Amino acid sequence: MKALWKTLFGDRYTVAVVLLALALNYALLRSPWAYVVTYSFPALLMAGIVWMAWRQGD
């Protein structure tokens, strides 16, 4: 069962990056800067991917 969860969701850092990106973009959607979400979501996900790749190198 652990392998299934790992395949579906990855590790806790992957889930954290996705949840953080969603939370920040949800907050932006409720603000006057809602138009920024179209640019910030891919940028936040790419920053999370870079962070996870950099973290894996340790």
Side-chain angles (χ1 to χ4, degrees):
M1 191 65 162
K2 187 176 181 181
L4 174 66
W5 286 107
K6 183 94 172 165
T7 301
L8 290 177
F9 300 109
D11 60 355
R12 62 183 172 198
Y13 299 109
T14 305
V15 174
V17 165
V18 171
L19 288 177
L20 181 66
L22 288 174
L24 288 173
N25 282 312
Y26 180 77
L28 277 173
L29 278 173
R30 300 294 175 218
S31 74
W33 302 296
Y35 63 91
V36 177
V37 172
T38 56
Y39 304 108
S40 67
F41 192 65
L44 285 170
L45 289 179
M46 286 302 293
I49 291 168
V50 167
W51 174 72
M52 287 188 298
W54 175 72
R55 202 185 133 276
Q56 181 136 11
D58 291 341

